[in-house]
């Protein structure tokens, strides 16, 4: 695996211009170590993995990128620059520009869907992949159409109402019930919400319209072509994504499934210690 020549341990934040994308990225760790790229979920940014990266940077060269419509990354091109194909191609070229010919890949939720696309379309770049609470999209056109309609409705809310109202509605989803129901997560949850409030709702709407679950191409059939080891991490309390991950595991012998007890959708926030342990074990295994 080719690595950068410079070594440092402090966090470095840079914005790199590449065609229609101004990618914002933070790196931490020794750049001679194996690179590990983090892709955040909807309404998040690279800071979502701060606690995880602080524990992994000793062993890996960690890179956390803000995805289009989120954080400090800017799009200078057409709106289709937000879609999965264009974003995936841009990230692959972005890694080339950093002289990172290969790196490990970790994606959460929306970032996990994008990570799976990257793993399937650029297998030479990503020798190991971790998906946290992610899916290959929807299986048939009818499901996709229904979800596109739902995503369009949510995008319209973002465009016409306050972001605060949207956040209140979004986190009523049962996926996040375990995060809100336990007092020990109260501070973590509030910090996450404060980070979400920094987003531009109009850009979040574009993200929903172009890389939402209904808009992305279904990757179910492509799972059979997977070339590299892939770890699925799902929370025991997240019945929806546990079922999806179970179906994904059947499709390829390279897919491993780990169910994290007493966790819901956001495992890295609810139980970072267990999350880090499982990540390290998978990435360090021969």
């Amino acid at each position: 695996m080719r690595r950068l020549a410079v070594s440092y341990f402090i966090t470095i934040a840079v914005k790199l211009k590449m065609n229609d994308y101004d990618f914002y990225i933070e790196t931490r760790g020794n750049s001679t170590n194996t690179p590990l790229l983090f892709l955040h979920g909807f309404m998040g940014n690279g800071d979502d993995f701060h606690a995880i990266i602080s524990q992994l940077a000793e062993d890996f060269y960690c890179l956390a990128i803000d995805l289009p419509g989120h954080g400090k990354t800017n799009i200078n091109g057409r709106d289709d620059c937000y879609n999965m194909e264009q974003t995936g191609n841009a990230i692959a070229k972005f890694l080339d520009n950093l002289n990172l010919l290969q790196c490990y890949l970790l994606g959460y939720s929306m970032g996990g869907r994008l990570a799976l696309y990257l793993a399937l379309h650029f297998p030479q770049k990503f020798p190991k992949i971790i998906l946290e609470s992610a899916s290959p999209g929807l299986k048939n056109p009818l499901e996709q159409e229904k979800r596109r309609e739902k995503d369009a409705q949510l995008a319209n809310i973002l465009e016409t109402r306050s972001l605060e109202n949207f956040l209140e509605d979004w986190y009523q989803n049962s996926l996040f019930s375990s995060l809100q129901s336990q007092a020990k997560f109260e501070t973590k949850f509030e910090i996450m919400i404060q980070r979400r409030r920094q987003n531009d709702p109009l850009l979040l709407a574009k993200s929903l319209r172009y890389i939402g679950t209904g808009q992305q191409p279904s990757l179910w059939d492509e799972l059979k072509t997977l070339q590299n080891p892939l770890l699925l991490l799902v929370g025991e309390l997240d019945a929806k994504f546990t079922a999806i991950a179970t179906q994904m595991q059947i499709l390829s012998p390279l897919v491993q499934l780990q169910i994290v007890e007493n966790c819901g959708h956001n495992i890295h926030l609810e139980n970072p210690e267990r999350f880090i342990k499982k990540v390290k074990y998978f990435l360090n295994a021969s």
Side-chain angles (χ1 to χ4, degrees):
M1 182 175 291
R2 183 176 176 183
R3 300 164 184 152
L4 296 176
V6 180
S7 299
Y8 43 78
F9 292 90
I10 61 174
T11 299
I12 305 294
V14 295
K15 180 171 279 192
L16 298 178
K17 184 175 180 61
M18 193 193 69
N19 297 328
D20 295 323
Y21 298 83
D22 290 343
F23 279 120
Y24 179 82
I25 186 168
E26 293 190 358
T27 66
R28 186 174 181 182
N30 187 330
S31 60
T32 63
N33 286 340
T34 302
L36 172 57
L37 176 65
F38 292 80
L39 303 179
H40 61 78
F42 178 60
M43 292 195 291
N45 59 41
D47 287 345
D48 287 357
F49 292 107
H50 178 78
I52 304 301
I53 288 174
S54 67
Q55 298 299 312
L56 291 175
E58 184 175 342
D59 300 315
F60 302 96
Y61 178 49
C62 298
L63 305 96
I65 191 171
D66 289 354
L67 294 174
H70 299 76
K72 299 176 183 179
T73 286
N74 297 321
I75 299 298
N76 304 311
R78 305 184 307 272
D79 286 350
D80 63 1
C81 289
Y82 288 82
N83 71 29
M84 184 163 286
E85 180 181 4
Q86 299 277 21
T87 300
N89 290 340
I91 288 175
K93 292 178 182 177
F94 171 79
L95 293 173
D96 286 343
N97 289 347
L98 292 178
N99 293 321
L100 297 176
L101 301 186
Q102 285 191 319
C103 70
Y104 293 154
L105 183 60
L106 191 159
Y108 163 67
S109 198
M110 178 191 76
R113 292 189 286 109
L114 177 58
L116 181 58
Y117 178 89
L118 287 167
L120 293 169
H121 290 82
F122 302 93
Q124 73 282 1
K125 290 185 176 295
F126 305 105
K128 287 189 177 182
I129 310 99
I130 299 172
L131 307 183
E132 175 193 359
S133 305
S135 82
L138 299 170
K139 292 183 177 180
N140 61 65
L142 181 59
E143 288 179 311
Q144 290 173 331
E145 179 59 31
K146 288 181 178 179
R147 183 57 186 262
R148 278 195 293 270
E149 291 176 0
K150 181 179 179 181
D151 287 344
Q153 291 171 358
L154 291 170
N156 185 62
I157 292 172
L158 280 165
E159 292 163 342
T160 58
R161 293 171 55 190
S162 72
L163 179 57
E164 194 67 29
N165 287 339
F166 183 88
L167 286 168
E168 290 178 8
D169 292 343
W170 183 264
Y171 284 103
Q172 293 303 312
N173 192 306
S174 60
L175 289 176
F176 307 106
S177 59
S178 62
L179 186 59
Q180 296 192 65
S181 63
Q182 301 186 50
K184 64 181 179 179
F185 298 137
E186 183 176 346
T187 300
K188 290 182 178 181
F189 183 75
E190 182 54 34
I191 291 172
M192 182 184 71
I193 292 297
Q194 290 288 1
R195 194 176 295 130
R196 303 302 188 251
R197 289 179 178 132
Q198 298 172 14
N199 282 300
D200 182 334
L202 298 182
L203 297 182
L204 291 178
K206 287 186 178 181
S207 179
L208 274 175
R209 293 185 188 279
Y210 286 91
I211 202 173
T213 305
Q215 191 64 38
Q216 79 159 77
S218 175
L219 301 174
W220 282 98
D221 289 340
E222 293 187 48
L223 266 175
K224 300 170 185 176
T225 70
L226 184 69
Q227 297 183 30
N228 298 309
L230 184 150
L231 173 64
L232 302 174
L233 291 176
V234 292
E236 175 189 24
L237 305 178
D238 185 355
K240 175 181 177 180
F241 281 85
T242 297
I244 291 172
T246 301
Q247 295 176 53
M248 292 173 67
Q249 186 186 28
I250 296 171
L251 297 176
S252 172
L254 291 170
V255 175
Q256 303 175 32
L257 171 60
Q258 293 282 326
I259 300 174
V260 184
E261 61 273 14
N262 298 317
C263 281
H265 194 66
N266 194 327
I267 306 165
H268 69 266
L269 185 61
E270 293 186 40
N271 195 334
E273 295 82 10
R274 182 59 60 86
F275 183 84
I276 290 166
K277 183 178 180 180
K278 290 185 178 296
V279 167
K280 282 186 173 181
Y281 183 84
F282 174 73
L283 295 181
N284 289 327
S286 57

